[in-house]
Amino acid sequence: MLIRRERADDATAIAAVHRSAFGPHYANGDTDRREIAELTGELADVADPPEVDLVTRLRSDSGWIPTLSMVAVEHDAVIGHVCLTRAGVGPFPVLALGPIGVLADHQGHGVGAAMMHAALGAADALDEPLIGLLGSLDFYPQFGFVPAARLSITPDTPSWISHFQIRPLSAYDPQITGEFHYAEPFYDL
């Protein structure tokens, strides 16, 4: 497996990754139904999971950072994707992670963990202070994420507080406190 920056010709494969990774989590995202609908040309009632559209909208947002959108590739096929986008805590520029997805048949084999390490390393090398995300309290702490409230950072959507986490990086400054704000496309989900 290789992890590299996203290229323009990866967009379709990245959409397929997020469709595979997130589709089963939504009632209307049944991946078997989607494959049948694609074969028959009847896509009208099979909606994509919102993460597919989110990545598309992020690419045209001012918060998009092309160098921090990465894919995992195996045998020339994209099997995973992660991106970091510009966010803010008050006046401080920070990063937001997400979405991160792995093809369903490649999950549980370390692809997601490898992408997490690559994303964290890339952000740290760019002297970014921290990364925020909304996600699993069981998965992300293994990568150094802690509840945001511990660092006096809160999400600007109060209902996210229980699963909102921060990963301080080498350039972290404890003066970075306040309300976390994602790139605008995150609020259209």
Side-chain angles (χ1 to χ4, degrees), residues 62-173:
S62 63
W64 183 250
I65 305 171
T67 56
L68 295 177
S69 179
M70 294 175 258
V71 293
V73 178
E74 185 176 78
H75 306 295
D76 296 323
V78 172
I79 62 170
H81 174 254
V82 62
C83 64
L84 296 162
T85 53
R86 180 61 60 208
V89 174
F92 301 100
V94 300
L95 295 175
L97 187 141
I100 178 171
V102 177
L103 287 175
D105 60 349
H106 285 77
Q107 292 174 7
H109 301 286
V111 177
M115 289 191 309
M116 283 297 299
H117 288 298
L120 292 170
D124 201 44
L126 293 172
D127 289 325
E128 294 291 343
L130 63 84
I131 299 170
L133 65 77
L134 183 63
S136 169
L137 300 174
D138 296 323
F139 182 71
Y140 294 105
Q142 68 182 309
F143 302 104
F145 284 86
V146 298
R150 286 189 196 168
L151 301 176
S152 299
I153 297 173
T154 58
D156 59 1
T157 301
S159 63
W160 295 349
I161 193 116
S162 64
H163 288 77
F164 190 70
Q165 302 166 64
I166 297 293
R167 170 57 154 81
L169 301 171
S170 298
Y172 172 70
D173 181 342

Side-chain angles (χ1 to χ4, degrees), residues 3 7 15 17 21 28 31 41 49 52 55-56 81 88 92 100 106 123 135 148 156 183:
I3 297 176
R7 296 190 292 230
V17 162
N28 63 353
T31 52
V52 173
V55 173
T56 300
H81 174 254
F92 301 100
I100 178 171
H106 285 77
D156 59 1

